[in-house]
Amino acid sequence: MKALKILPALIGVACVSFFTCWILFRNVPKAQPMLDKPVAMAEDGHKAKLHYVAVGDSLTEGIGDDTGRGGFVWDVADDLQDKFGLTSVEIDNYGVSGNRSDQILKRINEQEDMQKNIGTADFITLTVGGNDVMKVIKNNIFGLKVTSFTKPQKKYVKNLTEILATMRQLNAEAPIYVLSFYNPFYFNFPEITDMETVVSNWNQATEDVVDTLSNVYFVDIDALMTNGGEEEPTVGTSESETAASSENLNTLKNELLSDADNFHPNTYGYQLIAKKVTEELISTKDEWLVEDASDEK
């Protein structure tokens, strides 16, 4: 009986406590998470999600990237997601180490999965040409001349033209960003000027093809990668410097190339390539970022 008598009092205390807590909860501001960082929000009229298709050779595959994430492709996606407050960037990476222009063209023509993803891409990057150059070098190792590249370059131009035409047939709107090749030998062998001439001619041929097409852009990474991160040459710019370079080949190092082969970019090299690509993407963002009401991709 005593328990029943004190029950109303206990209920009263409980009610007072409940309402007191409720009032405090409603009026005391909530603490903000300590690790919150400002996040860019997608603007009205801009896509919230992007589909990025990367096609090409070892540069697209990311050979030499110590992180194993996939070279410049993943860095570009991350940079765009942060820059424009995107919810996601879907990546389809069709980079295959060692592929020449004819092999890339063959893959596009034969692989239905690649065709489908190119068709739904918001933008496309292409790395091509480096292995075409290397094939000429390997085939003419004992009698290499600048003229050795003339006929192969014409074949390359034909393949590149077909690659871009096929991509455009699959996707009439997505901008295509074609990266240049670079001279991985220049930093240690600046006296071999013919190689620099070959690379320059090859890149000019690529740019000439790109310039004839609409919504296709040339991203020049040659000066950056060839000179170890500098836009202008830092070695071999005078006779004395060239001589010094020749005497100290073991101490010279292009800081953007992988220690594994001194040919492919390392992680930092890929980051700088990504920066160049991202800059070009940002300058042409109206071609791929603006939402199209009729877009059903």
Side-chain angles (χ1 to χ4, degrees):
M1 294 294 293
K2 289 184 179 180
L4 291 177
K5 289 181 179 180
I6 64 172
L7 184 60
L10 292 174
I11 293 174
V13 171
C15 289
V16 171
S17 299
F18 172 79
F19 283 109
T20 300
C21 292
W22 181 78
I23 292 171
L24 290 173
F25 177 80
R26 289 291 300 267
N27 290 280
V28 176
K30 294 180 180 180
Q32 296 299 317
M34 294 180 65
L35 298 180
D36 269 3
K37 296 185 294 184
V39 177
M41 300 298 291
E43 298 180 17
D44 291 340
H46 286 183
K47 297 173 183 176
K49 299 179 180 180
L50 291 175
H51 183 194
Y52 171 18
V53 174
V55 179
D57 49 29
S58 57
L59 293 186
T60 294
E61 185 177 345
I63 300 299
D65 181 2
D66 294 333
T67 68
R69 296 181 69 237
F72 76 91
V73 174
W74 285 93
D75 286 330
V76 167
D78 286 347
D79 290 345
L80 293 180
Q81 188 164 354
D82 292 343
K83 172 72 175 178
F84 296 107
L86 305 171
T87 57
S88 67
V89 179
E90 177 188 353
I91 299 173
D92 284 295
N93 189 323
Y94 294 101
V96 175
S97 180
N99 262 198
R100 302 182 306 272
S101 58
D102 59 312
Q103 295 170 315
I104 293 172
L105 177 61
K106 188 173 186 290
R107 284 197 291 128
I108 295 174
N109 286 329
E110 294 181 353
Q111 295 182 13
E112 293 184 3
D113 178 69
M114 190 189 305
Q115 294 171 6
K116 179 181 177 180
N117 282 308
I118 288 175
T120 59
D122 290 300
F123 66 90
I124 303 163
T125 59
L126 173 65
T127 61
V128 61
N131 292 305
D132 296 68
V133 172
M134 292 308 298
K135 181 182 179 182
V136 180
I137 294 174
K138 291 176 182 178
N139 290 346
N140 299 272
I141 193 69
F142 296 112
L144 196 63
K145 302 176 183 177
V146 172
T147 54
S148 302
F149 294 85
T150 303
K151 188 174 181 180
Q153 182 177 298
K154 290 180 180 179
K155 291 183 179 180
Y156 161 75
V157 167
K158 182 177 181 295
N159 291 334
L160 175 62
T161 302
E162 290 187 25
I163 288 171
L164 295 173
T166 303
M167 285 181 171
R168 189 53 73 220
Q169 288 175 356
L170 295 168
N171 191 321
E173 298 180 356
I176 304 169
Y177 301 85
V178 184
L179 278 67
S180 73
F181 181 49
Y182 61 92
N183 180 3
F185 312 113
Y186 174 78
F187 200 84
N188 279 342
F189 303 100
E191 67 275 12
I192 307 178
T193 56
D194 282 355
M195 188 61 199
E196 189 60 20
T197 299
V198 168
V199 172
S200 179
N201 290 343
W202 208 272
N203 284 331
Q204 187 59 57
T206 301
E207 188 171 8
D208 288 344
V209 172
V210 168
D211 286 345
T212 65
L213 304 171
S214 61
N215 213 13
V216 182
Y217 303 94
F218 182 72
V219 182
D220 190 0
I221 64 169
D222 181 20
L224 179 71
M225 292 299 299
T226 294
N227 298 315
E230 301 290 337
E231 293 291 354
E232 297 296 334
T234 55
V235 297
T237 54
S238 69
E239 290 184 6
S240 61
E241 287 174 325
T242 299
S245 299
S246 300
E247 293 173 1
N248 297 282
L249 294 181
N250 292 329
T251 61
L252 287 175
K253 184 177 184 298
N254 186 332
E255 297 295 338
L256 302 186
L257 299 185
S258 170
D259 289 334
D261 58 18
N262 287 313
F263 185 90
H264 293 95
N266 56 24
T267 300
Y268 182 48
Y270 278 118
Q271 288 173 352
L272 292 185
I273 292 174
K275 181 179 178 182
K276 295 282 284 189
V277 175
T278 302
E279 287 172 352
E280 186 66 33
L281 279 159
I282 291 173
S283 70
T284 56
K285 65 180 184 298
D286 290 345
E287 302 290 347
W288 52 268
L289 182 62
V290 176
E291 186 69 67
D292 184 352
S294 64
D295 190 358
E296 298 181 356
K297 291 188 290 186

